[in-house]
Amino acid sequence: MEKEGKNIGIALSGGGIRATVFHLGVLKWLAEKGQMESITKISTVSGGSLSIGLIYAHNDQRWPSSEEFLKEVLPKVRRVLLTEDIQLKALWKLVLSPWRWKQKVHVLADTMAQHWGIRGVMTDLGKEPQWYVNCTTFETGKRFRFCQEDMGDYKMGYSKKPKIPVAEAMAASAGFPVLVGPYRLNTEHYVWEKPRFEDSDWDIKDNKYVHLWDGGVYDNLGLESVFKIEEGGTLRKGIDHLIVSNAFAGNGYVKRKSDLAVKNLRRLLDIATDQVGALRTRSVMDFIFRTRKGVFLKIGNNGKDGDKTEAEYVKNYPTTLRKPTASDFDRILQHGYEVARCNFFRD
């Protein structure tokens, strides 16, 4: 980013609370450079969706200015994340209401609304920046998005101005298979346009419900709303500069558990997510190197002079929704900030 004032599109990856806080550190750097006002499109997955939802919730459903973010919003979000353990509270709700076990993602949404203060519906948010909350449609296998203007995927079609609670969109985006589960959307409550995919065999009338999983199953970087991979890669309309913030930890050595262990399934999903992410990363990195119209920020990278021990600690922080300690919050936030500082404004 050689100049200020460009139309910026940002893609924020999944990765639980680790990703939520890491992305806040990246945004802190942007805010110090007066760039929050230049962001025109935001595309998020899972932990990235949590970070943006918290920002809106603690700024009266408005996107903050750089000054507002630094002085008011970030301190409020920090206080909420250090006070409220939504994972533990959601589990207690399930213990007390076991009949809701198949509705875990809805319980998570209720918990975020009650304890994080996530209020309102997607259409309550201002038109700019456009915020795309990404999920994966089980029935079509495509990227499902919620935004201020519509929701849907290109195979099933789109519904305009849906009254979807922000908390439910966030929870659906973070609905990791097995651990959280799918968001069940009743399609009969909305009016749907015909699919844009001409050869689609989808008929909305035959599908009263669709099931939305974690957006990371399809694309953990959330690139599609801000970047086209086709023909060597191009930015979406209205974007001059792309920022990709990747807080996915990657796959190191993991010892296999017992045959029935849930962690084995999670490991297989992580491997698939990592491989899909690697393909998309190569494409977007090639675009950035050729055009100099973007920057790719990766957790665990601090530049040649960075603290490698600290970077490894943050990178290996567990992918959960548990409340972090104050120390861990500050370490992850600072790492996101440092990764941004080391990569921005350099030739």
Side-chain angles (χ1 to χ4, degrees):
M1 286 173 59
E2 296 88 355
K3 298 179 181 179
E4 297 181 2
K6 291 187 175 184
N7 295 320
I8 299 173
I10 61 175
L12 306 180
S13 78
I17 288 294
R18 179 189 65 247
T20 300
V21 181
F22 179 84
H23 300 321
L24 290 171
V26 171
L27 291 171
K28 180 184 177 184
W29 170 259
L30 281 173
E32 288 189 0
K33 299 302 174 182
Q35 292 293 309
M36 294 291 281
E37 293 84 350
S38 299
I39 297 172
T40 58
K41 291 183 187 292
I42 306 170
S43 183
T44 62
V45 175
S46 191
S49 299
L50 302 186
S51 61
I52 299 302
L54 282 162
I55 288 170
Y56 273 111
H58 294 282
N59 197 51
D60 299 324
Q61 310 291 18
R62 297 182 298 106
W63 185 246
S65 67
S66 296
E67 184 177 6
E68 286 174 330
F69 179 79
L70 293 171
K71 292 184 176 181
E72 300 175 23
V73 179
L74 184 56
K76 290 179 182 178
V77 171
R78 181 183 186 274
R79 184 162 54 250
V80 168
L81 286 177
L82 294 183
T83 303
E84 304 291 348
D85 190 325
I86 60 164
Q87 180 170 309
L88 186 59
K89 291 181 184 297
L91 285 173
W92 270 113
K93 286 179 183 288
L94 291 171
V95 169
L96 297 175
S97 306
W99 59 88
R100 299 191 69 187
W101 189 257
K102 291 185 178 180
Q103 304 173 347
K104 293 194 292 290
V105 72
H106 298 276
V107 172
L108 178 61
D110 293 344
T111 305
M112 289 193 292
Q114 180 181 355
H115 297 284
W116 277 5
I118 309 296
R119 306 287 186 222
V121 297
M122 291 296 294
T123 52
D124 288 343
L125 309 179
K127 291 184 177 181
E128 285 196 357
Q130 292 176 296
W131 179 25
Y132 300 92
V133 183
N134 298 295
C135 309
T136 304
T137 313
F138 177 84
E139 285 75 9
T140 65
K142 305 302 179 184
R143 175 188 66 104
F144 186 104
R145 65 138 189 257
F146 295 103
C147 68
Q148 294 99 318
E149 295 298 320
D150 59 26
M151 69 176 183
D153 70 40
Y154 78 86
K155 193 170 185 179
M156 67 179 287
Y158 294 88
S159 178
K160 296 289 186 181
K161 299 288 185 180
K163 296 294 183 180
I164 290 289
V166 176
E168 292 189 13
M170 293 165 60
S173 180
F176 196 86
V178 180
L179 297 181
V180 179
Y183 177 81
R184 195 165 179 248
L185 179 70
N186 189 330
T187 63
E188 294 182 346
H189 292 168
Y190 307 95
V191 177
W192 299 86
E193 295 180 346
K194 291 183 178 181
R196 298 177 186 175
F197 185 49
E198 293 181 0
D199 298 327
S200 175
D201 56 0
W202 174 270
D203 189 343
I204 198 74
K205 295 178 182 178
D206 296 332
N207 293 271
K208 180 178 179 180
Y209 295 101
V210 293
H211 299 82
L212 308 179
W213 297 88
D214 189 325
V217 174
Y218 182 83
D219 171 19
N220 200 45
L221 294 178
L223 280 173
E224 283 193 6
S225 295
V226 291
F227 179 75
K228 295 181 181 179
I229 294 179
E230 298 84 2
E231 300 179 0
T234 57
L235 299 178
R236 294 285 183 181
K237 185 178 179 181
I239 300 175
D240 300 316
H241 193 91
L242 175 65
I243 299 171
V244 181
S245 181
N246 183 9
F248 181 63
N251 291 305
Y253 172 77
V254 174
K255 188 174 182 180
R256 188 175 182 276
K257 305 296 182 180
S258 63
D259 287 343
L260 299 178
V262 172
K263 288 186 177 181
N264 290 337
L265 177 57
R266 181 166 183 170
R267 170 64 171 174
L268 292 174
L269 288 167
D270 281 345
I271 292 171
T273 297
D274 194 31
Q275 290 305 303
V276 172
L279 291 172
R280 294 180 181 273
T281 296
R282 285 195 286 270
S283 177
V284 74
M285 288 293 289
D286 176 69
F287 169 82
I288 290 171
F289 284 135
R290 286 188 294 102
T291 66
R292 304 181 68 80
K293 291 183 178 180
V295 62
F296 191 97
L297 309 176
K298 180 72 170 73
I299 197 168
N301 295 339
N302 249 44
K304 63 180 181 180
D305 298 323
D307 186 334
K308 293 182 179 180
T309 301
E310 190 71 6
E312 281 297 309
Y313 178 85
V314 172
K315 179 181 177 181
N316 294 319
Y317 188 86
T319 305
T320 71
L321 299 181
R322 292 298 309 272
K323 176 182 69 174
T325 65
S327 174
D328 283 342
F329 180 98
D330 292 339
R331 293 172 77 174
I332 299 169
L333 183 83
Q334 185 63 25
H335 179 61
Y337 179 91
E338 291 296 331
V339 170
R341 183 183 67 82
C342 291
N343 284 276
F344 277 110
F345 302 102
R346 70 181 186 183
D347 294 329

